[in-house]
Amino acid sequence: MRTQQTPAIQVRDLRKSYKDLHVLRGVDFEVARGGVFALLGSNGAGKTTAVRILSTLLKPDAGVVRVNGFDVTTQAADVRESISLTGQFAAVDEILTGRENLMLVARLRHLANPAQVADDLLRRFSLTDAAGRRAATYSGGMRRRLDIAMSLIGDPPIIFLDEPTTGLDPQARLEVWRTVKDLTAQGTTVLLTTQYLDEAEHLADRIAILHQGRIIVDGTLADLKRLLPPAKVEYVEKQPTLEEIFLTLTGTNT
Amino acid sequence: MTRHFLGDTAVLLGRSLRHVTRSVDTVITTAIMPVAMMLMFVYVFGGAINTGTDSYVNYLLPGILLITIASGIAYTAFRLFTDLKSGVFERFQSMPTARSAVLWAHVLTSLVANLISLAIVMLVALAMGFRSSAPVTAWLSVVGILILFTLALTWIAVIPGLSAKTVEGASAFSYPLIFLPFLSSAFVPTATMPGPLRLFAEHQPVTSIVNAIRALFTEQPVGTDIWIALAWCVGILVVAYLFAMNTYRRRIA
Ligand SMILES: Nc1ncnc2c1ncn2[C@@H]1O[C@H](COP(=O)(O)OP(=O)(O)OP(=O)(O)O)[C@@H](O)[C@H]1O
Ligand SMILES: [Mg+2]
């Protein structure tokens, strides 16, 4: 593995077009080791395109992209050793059971005890009861949890999560958030994309906004808040948020 | 090639064989159509077809075996297409896994699934009176030709599997392949066909493969047919493999 000094991710002047559609037009950012980096952007901003380039699934047209110190075009195999991708749409083998899915990934990552790895993750993601069922029978939330669990196998130092909570109910969403926090506690670097601003606010140490092919702001939440006029002090009665009401009524608040 | 190629291929082969055993219907469907054709040709048309041999099942079986393979490979295209659509393929590609291992696993699965379907068809043929007193070496040669033919057609199937936009598109390519044996010596001797058709029938790959298998089963000299048959199989295999790999590289670029 690389020394701790190299940043987890370096992107300089990254460009990518699909024919006439210039999706990334000179993207620059850097992600330090550890912590959560959130990439925000509206639909079609190019978040998935950027993540696919970072995970060696797509070749950049121009620019320098290094992940864990390795160049994505010339050292793709080293990059793949360093990362794990949870794509925007859950990628699980529907015909296999949850447990078999996990064991498959553990074997492909050449780990010594796939069964042990699978059972640990099933427990951690509350999937033990469904372990022997085919993934085709899972709900959207279960499928997403299995998908993320599959990505954690082998403890890669850098993890990409492309809209990990889209389509999840509030409880499943909180579970994903907790997982992300656990990961960072272990020193993993997480790059996540999201359209939910509260998600970025809640999880991210640094936030970058991708807009019209470029990163228009990049900084901590406090940095970003400073861009707007200072907050006025007002006294209001605090109303419970819809989320709090939902969680209370469904009895899933923890 | 990475050092994990064989191990990764074995793991992924285990995975897609599980797909086959969990949808046994695909293996059976593959066998049903050729079996139905065999029943129809032997019991309905067989009496009216004069092949110059005493047993029409014996005459027909080689062609039926090739039709079995041609219909079986459509499932390979289908499984590959499903892997691409579900994102599973991309997950494998983003992992430190030997990159072409996924393709090889699908190709080997096709071989296993087709051999099972062929065995089912063979059993039905035996029940219908197919007999051969050919020695073991001849049987082994037949199996070898069938394996080569399966591999050649499977690599063809990989191309639409990787590039199709719809499920139908992924399997439609196999219809002409299933049809090809009808324009060959598989069901009737080519001598009965009119000029241009006969010319085509006598020079297309299925005829030489059918003739070679038939000669092996009936202990006749295989002559040049077997070499032409092998040349066709290897030729198709190499060309299809190169095209498939090219499609694959463009797909993962
Ligand atoms: N393979 C492709 N061919 C052509 N255009 C594409 C392709 N993939 C993406 N695009 C286009 O590129 C643009 C960026 O897509 P991308 O998926 O990266 O956006 P995104 O920020 O992830 O959006 P979302 O929030 O909806 O997931 C979109 O306009 C999309 O239509
Ligand atoms: Mg996206």
Side-chain angles (χ1 to χ4, degrees), chain A residues 42-49 88-89 162-163 193 195:
Chain A
S42 38
N43 283 137
K47 304 179 295 295
T48 299
T49 303
Q88 183 165 359
F89 306 99
D162 194 0
E163 301 198 21
T193 76
Q195 298 186 38

PDB file of all heavy atoms in Angstrom, chain A residues 42-49 88-89 162-163 193 195, ligand 2:
ATOM      1  N   SER A  42     -26.967  17.927  -9.328  1.00  0.00           N
ATOM      2  CA  SER A  42     -28.333  17.565  -9.695  1.00  0.00           C
ATOM      3  C   SER A  42     -28.310  16.420 -10.702  1.00  0.00           C
ATOM      4  O   SER A  42     -27.242  15.976 -11.136  1.00  0.00           O
ATOM      5  CB  SER A  42     -29.052  18.779 -10.258  1.00  0.00           C
ATOM      6  OG  SER A  42     -28.166  19.534 -11.031  1.00  0.00           O
ATOM      7  N   ASN A  43     -29.474  15.949 -11.092  1.00  0.00           N
ATOM      8  CA  ASN A  43     -29.571  14.852 -12.052  1.00  0.00           C
ATOM      9  C   ASN A  43     -28.805  15.187 -13.319  1.00  0.00           C
ATOM     10  O   ASN A  43     -28.969  16.260 -13.874  1.00  0.00           O
ATOM     11  CB  ASN A  43     -31.028  14.600 -12.448  1.00  0.00           C
ATOM     12  CG  ASN A  43     -31.790  13.856 -11.373  1.00  0.00           C
ATOM     13  OD1 ASN A  43     -32.918  14.189 -11.076  1.00  0.00           O
ATOM     14  ND2 ASN A  43     -31.179  12.857 -10.790  1.00  0.00           N
ATOM     15  N   GLY A  44     -27.971  14.254 -13.732  1.00  0.00           N
ATOM     16  CA  GLY A  44     -27.252  14.461 -14.990  1.00  0.00           C
ATOM     17  C   GLY A  44     -26.030  15.350 -14.871  1.00  0.00           C
ATOM     18  O   GLY A  44     -25.416  15.701 -15.872  1.00  0.00           O
ATOM     19  N   ALA A  45     -25.646  15.720 -13.647  1.00  0.00           N
ATOM     20  CA  ALA A  45     -24.485  16.593 -13.465  1.00  0.00           C
ATOM     21  C   ALA A  45     -23.188  15.883 -13.834  1.00  0.00           C
ATOM     22  O   ALA A  45     -22.201  16.528 -14.181  1.00  0.00           O
ATOM     23  CB  ALA A  45     -24.422  17.080 -12.029  1.00  0.00           C
ATOM     24  N   GLY A  46     -23.186  14.553 -13.748  1.00  0.00           N
ATOM     25  CA  GLY A  46     -21.982  13.806 -14.099  1.00  0.00           C
ATOM     26  C   GLY A  46     -21.348  13.104 -12.910  1.00  0.00           C
ATOM     27  O   GLY A  46     -20.196  12.664 -12.979  1.00  0.00           O
ATOM     28  N   LYS A  47     -22.096  12.951 -11.829  1.00  0.00           N
ATOM     29  CA  LYS A  47     -21.553  12.293 -10.641  1.00  0.00           C
ATOM     30  C   LYS A  47     -21.199  10.838 -10.933  1.00  0.00           C
ATOM     31  O   LYS A  47     -20.103  10.366 -10.621  1.00  0.00           O
ATOM     32  CB  LYS A  47     -22.578  12.327  -9.481  1.00  0.00           C
ATOM     33  CG  LYS A  47     -23.042  13.724  -9.120  1.00  0.00           C
ATOM     34  CD  LYS A  47     -24.053  13.703  -7.995  1.00  0.00           C
ATOM     35  CE  LYS A  47     -25.372  13.012  -8.327  1.00  0.00           C
ATOM     36  NZ  LYS A  47     -26.157  13.696  -9.370  1.00  0.00           N
ATOM     37  N   THR A  48     -22.149  10.126 -11.545  1.00  0.00           N
ATOM     38  CA  THR A  48     -21.905   8.720 -11.846  1.00  0.00           C
ATOM     39  C   THR A  48     -20.754   8.586 -12.838  1.00  0.00           C
ATOM     40  O   THR A  48     -19.901   7.702 -12.700  1.00  0.00           O
ATOM     41  CB  THR A  48     -23.186   8.064 -12.397  1.00  0.00           C
ATOM     42  OG1 THR A  48     -24.193   8.150 -11.387  1.00  0.00           O
ATOM     43  CG2 THR A  48     -22.958   6.621 -12.770  1.00  0.00           C
ATOM     44  N   THR A  49     -20.708   9.468 -13.806  1.00  0.00           N
ATOM     45  CA  THR A  49     -19.610   9.444 -14.783  1.00  0.00           C
ATOM     46  C   THR A  49     -18.274   9.571 -14.056  1.00  0.00           C
ATOM     47  O   THR A  49     -17.337   8.810 -14.319  1.00  0.00           O
ATOM     48  CB  THR A  49     -19.785  10.588 -15.795  1.00  0.00           C
ATOM     49  OG1 THR A  49     -21.066  10.439 -16.423  1.00  0.00           O
ATOM     50  CG2 THR A  49     -18.692  10.575 -16.833  1.00  0.00           C
ATOM     51  N   GLN A  88     -24.769   3.125  -8.482  1.00  0.00           N
ATOM     52  CA  GLN A  88     -26.042   3.801  -8.220  1.00  0.00           C
ATOM     53  C   GLN A  88     -27.197   2.811  -8.110  1.00  0.00           C
ATOM     54  O   GLN A  88     -28.136   3.023  -7.368  1.00  0.00           O
ATOM     55  CB  GLN A  88     -26.306   4.815  -9.342  1.00  0.00           C
ATOM     56  CG  GLN A  88     -27.563   5.627  -9.118  1.00  0.00           C
ATOM     57  CD  GLN A  88     -27.602   6.854 -10.020  1.00  0.00           C
ATOM     58  OE1 GLN A  88     -26.692   7.102 -10.799  1.00  0.00           O
ATOM     59  NE2 GLN A  88     -28.660   7.619  -9.915  1.00  0.00           N
ATOM     60  N   PHE A  89     -27.118   1.728  -8.872  1.00  0.00           N
ATOM     61  CA  PHE A  89     -28.170   0.733  -8.812  1.00  0.00           C
ATOM     62  C   PHE A  89     -27.572  -0.552  -8.245  1.00  0.00           C
ATOM     63  O   PHE A  89     -26.522  -0.996  -8.702  1.00  0.00           O
ATOM     64  CB  PHE A  89     -28.763   0.509 -10.196  1.00  0.00           C
ATOM     65  CG  PHE A  89     -29.228   1.794 -10.809  1.00  0.00           C
ATOM     66  CD1 PHE A  89     -28.450   2.470 -11.728  1.00  0.00           C
ATOM     67  CD2 PHE A  89     -30.419   2.369 -10.390  1.00  0.00           C
ATOM     68  CE1 PHE A  89     -28.852   3.682 -12.256  1.00  0.00           C
ATOM     69  CE2 PHE A  89     -30.834   3.584 -10.910  1.00  0.00           C
ATOM     70  CZ  PHE A  89     -30.043   4.247 -11.844  1.00  0.00           C
ATOM     71  N   ASP A 162     -22.220   5.479  -4.780  1.00  0.00           N
ATOM     72  CA  ASP A 162     -22.958   6.351  -5.696  1.00  0.00           C
ATOM     73  C   ASP A 162     -24.424   6.366  -5.285  1.00  0.00           C
ATOM     74  O   ASP A 162     -25.141   5.399  -5.505  1.00  0.00           O
ATOM     75  CB  ASP A 162     -22.781   5.844  -7.138  1.00  0.00           C
ATOM     76  CG  ASP A 162     -23.221   6.870  -8.176  1.00  0.00           C
ATOM     77  OD1 ASP A 162     -23.652   7.971  -7.785  1.00  0.00           O
ATOM     78  OD2 ASP A 162     -23.128   6.556  -9.379  1.00  0.00           O
ATOM     79  N   GLU A 163     -24.858   7.469  -4.709  1.00  0.00           N
ATOM     80  CA  GLU A 163     -26.232   7.619  -4.206  1.00  0.00           C
ATOM     81  C   GLU A 163     -26.677   6.414  -3.397  1.00  0.00           C
ATOM     82  O   GLU A 163     -27.647   5.746  -3.741  1.00  0.00           O
ATOM     83  CB  GLU A 163     -27.206   7.867  -5.366  1.00  0.00           C
ATOM     84  CG  GLU A 163     -26.828   9.122  -6.129  1.00  0.00           C
ATOM     85  CD  GLU A 163     -27.964   9.663  -6.991  1.00  0.00           C
ATOM     86  OE1 GLU A 163     -29.118   9.324  -6.711  1.00  0.00           O
ATOM     87  OE2 GLU A 163     -27.671  10.422  -7.911  1.00  0.00           O
ATOM     88  N   THR A 193     -21.729  10.132  -3.504  1.00  0.00           N
ATOM     89  CA  THR A 193     -22.479  11.127  -4.256  1.00  0.00           C
ATOM     90  C   THR A 193     -23.889  11.113  -3.698  1.00  0.00           C
ATOM     91  O   THR A 193     -24.349  10.088  -3.197  1.00  0.00           O
ATOM     92  CB  THR A 193     -22.557  10.793  -5.749  1.00  0.00           C
ATOM     93  OG1 THR A 193     -23.506   9.755  -5.919  1.00  0.00           O
ATOM     94  CG2 THR A 193     -21.209  10.369  -6.301  1.00  0.00           C
ATOM     95  N   GLN A 195     -27.932  13.394  -3.748  1.00  0.00           N
ATOM     96  CA  GLN A 195     -28.739  14.553  -4.107  1.00  0.00           C
ATOM     97  C   GLN A 195     -29.387  15.114  -2.862  1.00  0.00           C
ATOM     98  O   GLN A 195     -30.054  16.134  -2.916  1.00  0.00           O
ATOM     99  CB  GLN A 195     -29.833  14.145  -5.080  1.00  0.00           C
ATOM    100  CG  GLN A 195     -29.280  13.603  -6.356  1.00  0.00           C
ATOM    101  CD  GLN A 195     -30.374  13.353  -7.360  1.00  0.00           C
ATOM    102  OE1 GLN A 195     -31.318  14.125  -7.447  1.00  0.00           O
ATOM    103  NE2 GLN A 195     -30.256  12.281  -8.100  1.00  0.00           N
TER     104      GLN A 195
HETATM  105 MG    MG C   2     -25.797   9.009 -11.092  1.00  0.00          MG
END
